[in-house]
CSV table of all heavy atoms in Angstrom, one decimal:
chain,number,residue,atom,x,y,z
T,229,LEU,N,1.8,58.9,12.2
T,229,LEU,CA,1.9,57.5,12.7
T,229,LEU,C,1.4,56.6,11.7
T,229,LEU,O,0.2,56.7,11.2
T,229,LEU,CB,1.0,57.4,14.0
T,229,LEU,CG,0.9,56.0,14.6
T,229,LEU,CD1,2.3,55.4,15.0
T,229,LEU,CD2,-0.1,56.0,15.8
T,232,GLY,N,-2.8,52.1,12.4
T,232,GLY,CA,-4.1,52.5,12.9
T,232,GLY,C,-4.3,52.1,14.3
T,232,GLY,O,-5.5,52.2,14.8
T,233,SER,N,-3.2,51.6,15.0
T,233,SER,CA,-3.4,51.2,16.4
T,233,SER,C,-3.8,52.3,17.4
T,233,SER,O,-3.0,53.2,17.6
T,233,SER,CB,-2.1,50.5,16.8
T,233,SER,OG,-2.1,50.4,18.2
T,234,PRO,N,-4.9,52.3,18.0
T,234,PRO,CA,-5.3,53.3,19.0
T,234,PRO,C,-4.3,53.3,20.1
T,234,PRO,O,-4.1,54.3,20.8
T,234,PRO,CB,-6.7,53.0,19.4
T,234,PRO,CG,-7.0,51.5,19.0
T,234,PRO,CD,-6.1,51.2,17.9
T,235,ARG,N,-3.7,52.1,20.5
T,235,ARG,CA,-2.8,52.0,21.6
T,235,ARG,C,-1.5,52.7,21.3
T,235,ARG,O,-1.0,53.5,22.2
T,235,ARG,CB,-2.6,50.5,21.8
T,235,ARG,CG,-3.8,49.8,22.4
T,235,ARG,CD,-3.6,48.3,22.4
T,235,ARG,NE,-3.5,47.6,21.1
T,235,ARG,CZ,-4.5,47.3,20.3
T,235,ARG,NH1,-5.7,47.5,20.6
T,235,ARG,NH2,-4.3,46.7,19.1
T,236,ARG,N,-1.0,52.6,20.1
T,236,ARG,CA,0.2,53.3,19.7
T,236,ARG,C,-0.1,54.9,19.8
T,236,ARG,O,0.7,55.6,20.2
T,236,ARG,CB,0.7,52.9,18.4
T,236,ARG,CG,1.3,51.6,18.4
T,236,ARG,CD,2.2,51.2,17.2
T,236,ARG,NE,2.6,49.8,17.2
T,236,ARG,CZ,2.2,48.8,16.5
T,236,ARG,NH1,1.3,49.1,15.5
T,236,ARG,NH2,2.6,47.6,16.6
T,237,ARG,N,-1.2,55.3,19.3
T,237,ARG,CA,-1.6,56.7,19.3
T,237,ARG,C,-1.6,57.2,20.7
T,237,ARG,O,-1.2,58.4,21.0
T,237,ARG,CB,-2.9,56.9,18.5
T,237,ARG,CG,-3.2,58.4,18.4
T,237,ARG,CD,-4.5,58.6,17.6
T,237,ARG,NE,-4.7,60.0,17.4
T,237,ARG,CZ,-5.8,60.5,16.7
T,237,ARG,NH1,-6.7,59.7,16.3
T,237,ARG,NH2,-5.9,61.8,16.6
T,238,GLU,N,-2.3,56.5,21.6
T,238,GLU,CA,-2.4,56.9,23.0
T,238,GLU,C,-1.0,57.0,23.6
T,238,GLU,O,-0.7,58.0,24.4
T,238,GLU,CB,-3.2,55.9,23.8
T,238,GLU,CG,-4.7,56.0,23.5
T,238,GLU,CD,-5.5,54.9,24.1
T,238,GLU,OE1,-5.0,54.2,25.0
T,238,GLU,OE2,-6.7,54.7,23.7
T,239,LEU,N,-0.1,56.1,23.3
T,239,LEU,CA,1.2,56.1,23.9
T,239,LEU,C,2.0,57.3,23.5
T,239,LEU,O,2.6,58.0,24.3
T,239,LEU,CB,2.0,54.8,23.6
T,239,LEU,CG,1.6,53.5,24.2
T,239,LEU,CD1,2.1,52.3,23.6
T,239,LEU,CD2,1.9,53.5,25.7
T,240,LEU,N,1.9,57.6,22.2
T,240,LEU,CA,2.6,58.8,21.7
T,240,LEU,C,2.0,60.1,22.2
T,240,LEU,O,2.7,61.1,22.6
T,240,LEU,CB,2.5,58.9,20.2
T,240,LEU,CG,3.4,57.9,19.4
T,240,LEU,CD1,3.1,57.8,17.9
T,240,LEU,CD2,4.9,58.1,19.7
T,241,GLY,N,0.6,60.1,22.4
T,241,GLY,CA,0.0,61.2,23.0
T,241,GLY,C,0.5,61.5,24.4
T,241,GLY,O,0.6,62.7,24.9
T,317,LYS,N,-1.5,38.5,14.7
T,317,LYS,CA,-2.9,38.6,15.1
T,317,LYS,C,-3.6,37.3,14.7
T,317,LYS,O,-3.4,36.8,13.7
T,317,LYS,CB,-3.6,39.8,14.4
T,317,LYS,CG,-3.0,41.1,14.9
T,317,LYS,CD,-3.6,42.3,14.1
T,317,LYS,CE,-3.0,43.6,14.5
T,317,LYS,NZ,-3.5,44.8,13.7
T,387,ASP,N,-11.6,40.4,22.9
T,387,ASP,CA,-10.4,41.2,23.1
T,387,ASP,C,-9.2,40.7,22.4
T,387,ASP,O,-8.4,41.5,21.9
T,387,ASP,CB,-10.2,41.3,24.6
T,387,ASP,CG,-9.2,42.4,24.9
T,387,ASP,OD1,-9.5,43.6,24.6
T,387,ASP,OD2,-8.1,42.1,25.5
T,390,ASP,N,-7.6,41.5,17.7
T,390,ASP,CA,-6.8,42.4,16.9
T,390,ASP,C,-5.4,42.6,17.5
T,390,ASP,O,-4.8,43.6,17.3
T,390,ASP,CB,-7.5,43.7,16.8
T,390,ASP,CG,-7.7,44.4,18.2
T,390,ASP,OD1,-7.6,43.8,19.2
T,390,ASP,OD2,-7.7,45.7,18.2
T,391,LYS,N,-5.0,41.6,18.3
T,391,LYS,CA,-3.8,41.8,19.0
T,391,LYS,C,-2.8,40.6,18.7
T,391,LYS,O,-3.1,39.5,18.7
T,391,LYS,CB,-4.0,41.8,20.5
T,391,LYS,CG,-4.9,43.1,20.8
T,391,LYS,CD,-5.3,43.1,22.3
T,391,LYS,CE,-6.2,44.3,22.7
T,391,LYS,NZ,-7.5,44.2,22.1
T,392,ALA,N,-1.4,41.0,18.5
T,392,ALA,CA,-0.5,40.0,18.4
T,392,ALA,C,-0.4,39.1,19.6
T,392,ALA,O,-0.4,39.5,20.7
T,392,ALA,CB,0.9,40.6,18.2
T,396,GLY,N,-4.0,41.4,25.0
T,396,GLY,CA,-3.5,42.7,25.2
T,396,GLY,C,-3.3,42.9,26.7
T,396,GLY,O,-4.1,42.6,27.6
T,397,ILE,N,-2.1,43.3,27.1
T,397,ILE,CA,-1.7,43.3,28.5
T,397,ILE,C,-2.4,44.4,29.2
T,397,ILE,O,-2.6,44.3,30.5
T,397,ILE,CB,-0.1,43.5,28.6
T,397,ILE,CG1,0.4,43.2,30.0
T,397,ILE,CG2,0.3,44.9,28.2
T,397,ILE,CD1,1.9,43.1,30.1
T,398,GLN,N,-2.9,45.4,28.5
T,398,GLN,CA,-3.6,46.5,29.2
T,398,GLN,C,-5.0,46.3,29.5
T,398,GLN,O,-5.8,47.0,30.0
T,398,GLN,CB,-3.4,47.9,28.4
T,398,GLN,CG,-4.2,47.9,27.1
T,398,GLN,CD,-3.6,47.0,26.0
T,398,GLN,OE1,-2.6,46.4,26.1
T,398,GLN,NE2,-4.1,47.2,24.8
T,415,VAL,N,5.1,46.1,25.3
T,415,VAL,CA,4.2,45.0,25.2
T,415,VAL,C,2.8,45.5,24.7
T,415,VAL,O,2.1,44.9,24.0
T,415,VAL,CB,4.0,44.2,26.5
T,415,VAL,CG1,3.0,43.0,26.4
T,415,VAL,CG2,5.3,43.8,27.1
T,416,VAL,N,2.6,46.8,25.0
T,416,VAL,CA,1.3,47.4,24.6
T,416,VAL,C,1.4,47.7,23.1
T,416,VAL,O,0.4,47.7,22.4
T,416,VAL,CB,1.0,48.7,25.4
T,416,VAL,CG1,-0.2,49.4,24.9
T,416,VAL,CG2,0.9,48.4,26.9
T,417,GLY,N,2.6,48.1,22.6
T,417,GLY,CA,2.8,48.4,21.2
T,417,GLY,C,3.9,49.3,20.8
T,417,GLY,O,4.1,49.5,19.6
T,418,LEU,N,4.5,50.0,21.8
T,418,LEU,CA,5.6,50.9,21.4
T,418,LEU,C,6.5,51.1,22.6
T,418,LEU,O,6.0,51.5,23.7
T,418,LEU,CB,5.0,52.3,21.0
T,418,LEU,CG,5.7,53.2,20.0
T,418,LEU,CD1,5.8,52.4,18.6
T,418,LEU,CD2,4.9,54.4,19.7
Side-chain angles (χ1 to χ4, degrees):
L229 175 61
S233 163
R235 295 171 291 278
R236 290 195 182 110
R237 186 179 186 180
E238 285 169 18
L239 288 167
L240 289 172
K317 294 175 184 176
D387 193 62
D390 67 335
K391 298 175 180 72
I397 196 170
Q398 71 282 9
V415 185
V416 180
L418 212 58

